[in-house]
Amino acid sequence: MPMFVLCLVQFMLVLDDTVVNVALPSIRDELGFSTSGLPWVVNAYFLAFGGLLLLCGRLADVLGRRRVFLIGVALFGVASLACGVAQEPWQLVIGRFVQGAGSAMAGPAAMSMITLLYPGPEERTRALGLWGGIAALGGTSGLVLSGVLTDLVSWRGIFLINLPIVAVALALLPRLVPESRAPGRRHLDVPGAVLVTGAAVSLVYGLLRAGGTGWSDPVAIGAVVLSAALVVAFLVAESRAVAPLVPRAFLASRTRAVANGATLLFSMAMYAMSFLLMIQVQTALGYSPLLAGIAYLPYGAGILAGMWLSSRISLKIGTRQALLLAFLVNIAGLLLLSGVAAGDSYAAHVLPGMLVLSVGNGLSLPVMAAAAVEGTTEEDAGLGSALFTSVQQIGGAVGVAALTVMGYSGGLVAGAVCVALGAVLIVVLLPSRSGGPRRPAGEGAGGRSAPTAAPR
């Protein structure tokens, strides 16, 4: 039951990544958005979500994962209501920003609670596989649900539909999951938190702006340069901090480092692919927005199939081999889809590549998630979860900004190159004995028993 509630909330959070896409024309017409203002309905969410993840993940470790999760869900619910009743463009943009902040609090806290509820390698891989698969389904379902609600009800329904899920989570989770926090540590590294949050917000803003205005925009370039400067300042501050936001020991894990690096490259490719494919089927193949969303449904089925296979494969052959296999499947799917052109049929040209790629996604996501939090404990589970999610968001922003300007085929081929680089990273740097069945259930990294947080 705790897993059901956490997955339901994650489904809702990821749903709101994509649910506004199809509804944007209706939102523009009713609220009177300008051409330059409309993208901020999407960007405000990503800016808050991507920028606040690391800070909120560490807050969850220090203040309590369940507490931060519930505050984030409540904040998300209030913001969803505000979005659903917005009468002016600025009201909707502010509501979306607050939604992103709520997601940044709830998402990492949920993943860290799952990490602690299921400490053994086998059960953790399966739990994170389910969690990651549900999240991926949320992104796919958002396109379909947006079209259905916008056409049959109103664009406001895409926000108001969140309220029942918020109510269920707030009512049930306090009874199902005990509180957990980092032991013996009750303060936050404020300078580190400010610097890393500023760096993330500045980077996400720069990338999002560059995606709309191009890299000749001095504001976009300045935001990225500022982000780099803040990262340097963050590293200097962390080297001098008594209790750093990101402990040195956390960064020393090669498995977590490689998993996050591979996730960055993977996310660049997949976010760009989703953006480009939705445009291609509507422009080159002539699909309506609703039909384009429905055409995306097999993607969800393929993810479920890959997710079902993922834990079984990784536990037999180990993390490195499982990720390498998954990335090769993803490369094949991207190359198949890159050939879709005007006049092509859905069944013969779109569906095969979509199914191959979706199975590859299902194979990849659970293993990457498990590797990214391998060895995390009560001390840093929230940080590990937040870093993984932040890498996904930043990778997605980079991919959309950098790969979509290459056009449909060029962008998908470039995405395949990104995934291939991730595969090289895995082969060269990922420890050969990472994951797999060699470690007894119930043990964390280094042979230590990971702490449990059993549901009440």
Side-chain angles (χ1 to χ4, degrees):
M1 191 62 177
M3 191 67 186
F4 170 79
V5 175
L6 292 171
C7 285
L8 184 64
V9 171
Q10 184 64 16
F11 179 87
M12 174 187 71
L13 298 179
V14 178
L15 188 77
D16 273 65
D17 273 357
T18 58
V19 75
V20 299
N21 291 351
V22 178
L24 285 175
S26 299
I27 292 172
R28 177 195 60 206
D29 295 342
E30 183 169 336
L31 295 186
F33 270 93
S34 65
T35 301
S36 60
L38 188 62
W40 283 102
V41 177
V42 178
N43 292 353
Y45 184 87
F46 283 115
L47 185 63
F49 189 21
L52 297 174
L53 274 166
L54 280 178
L55 174 60
C56 291
R58 200 56 187 151
L59 280 174
D61 285 334
V62 174
L63 301 180
R65 284 114 191 174
R66 188 181 68 180
R67 176 185 299 173
V68 170
F69 173 82
L70 293 173
I71 293 172
V73 170
L75 190 64
F76 186 90
V78 171
S80 295
L81 177 60
C83 289
V85 300
Q87 301 298 315
E88 298 290 340
W90 66 267
Q91 294 171 350
L92 183 57
V93 170
I94 291 176
R96 288 287 287 168
F97 187 90
V98 178
Q99 269 193 321
S103 294
M105 297 181 74
M111 186 175 174
S112 61
M113 283 189 285
I114 292 172
T115 300
L116 297 174
L117 284 167
Y118 303 96
E122 182 174 350
E123 61 179 354
R124 179 180 287 187
T125 298
R126 288 176 178 168
L128 289 173
L130 177 61
W131 186 83
I134 294 297
L137 285 176
T140 302
S141 303
L143 300 170
V144 182
L145 185 62
S146 179
V148 171
L149 289 175
T150 302
D151 283 354
L152 301 182
V153 185
S154 165
W155 64 266
R156 298 181 186 276
I158 66 178
F159 299 111
L160 299 178
I161 198 174
N162 294 329
L163 300 182
I165 300 176
V166 169
V168 168
L170 294 178
L172 294 182
L173 195 90
R175 306 176 185 180
L176 299 172
V177 180
E179 185 59 282
S180 63
R181 57 172 58 87
R185 181 174 175 177
R186 295 292 180 269
H187 66 276
L188 186 69
D189 173 20
V190 176
V194 171
L195 289 169
V196 76
T197 300
V201 169
S202 183
L203 176 62
V204 173
Y205 174 78
L207 293 172
L208 290 173
R209 186 175 176 95
T213 62
W215 285 106
S216 60
D217 185 350
V219 175
I221 296 173
V224 174
V225 171
L226 175 61
S227 175
L230 290 173
V231 168
V232 173
F234 169 73
L235 294 175
V236 172
E238 292 297 278
S239 68
R240 299 172 180 174
V242 176
L245 183 67
V246 183
R248 297 179 185 87
F250 185 88
L251 297 175
S253 168
R254 191 157 49 131
T255 297
R256 290 196 292 261
V258 172
N260 280 296
T263 298
L264 180 73
L265 293 162
F266 174 87
S267 299
M268 287 175 61
M270 296 310 150
Y271 275 73
M273 178 280 303
S274 179
F275 182 92
L276 290 167
L277 182 60
M278 285 302 296
I279 294 176
Q280 185 75 352
V281 297
Q282 291 182 67
T283 55
L285 304 186
Y287 290 9
S288 67
L290 179 57
L291 185 58
I294 294 173
Y296 220 78
L297 279 176
Y299 204 89
I303 285 177
L304 286 176
M307 182 181 68
W308 184 83
L309 291 169
S310 180
S311 63
R312 290 159 177 80
I313 292 175
S314 65
L315 290 169
K316 288 182 179 179
I317 66 177
T319 297
R320 185 168 73 167
Q321 289 77 10
L323 273 180
L324 179 60
L325 172 64
F327 274 39
L328 291 175
V329 174
N330 285 311
I331 292 169
L334 285 167
L335 293 177
L336 280 172
L337 279 176
S338 69
V340 174
D344 285 346
S345 71
Y346 176 77
H349 300 95
V350 179
L351 187 59
M354 182 182 290
L355 289 176
V356 171
L357 185 60
S358 62
V359 170
N361 281 196
L363 289 170
S364 305
L365 290 167
V367 188
M368 287 191 300
V373 296
E374 184 179 79
T376 55
T377 66
E378 288 274 3
E379 176 68 21
D380 54 14
L383 174 62
S385 305
L387 182 60
F388 175 70
T389 311
S390 184
V391 165
Q392 287 181 308
Q393 294 295 314
I394 291 173
V398 173
V400 171
L403 303 187
T404 57
V405 297
M406 301 179 185
Y408 176 75
S409 295
L412 264 62
V413 171
V417 172
C418 289
V419 178
L421 291 174
V424 172
L425 191 67
I426 290 163
V427 170
V428 174
L429 295 179
L430 194 66
S432 60
R433 289 185 293 177
S434 176
R438 305 181 188 211
R439 185 180 299 145
E443 289 187 358
R448 295 177 300 167
S449 178
T452 61
R456 290 183 293 195

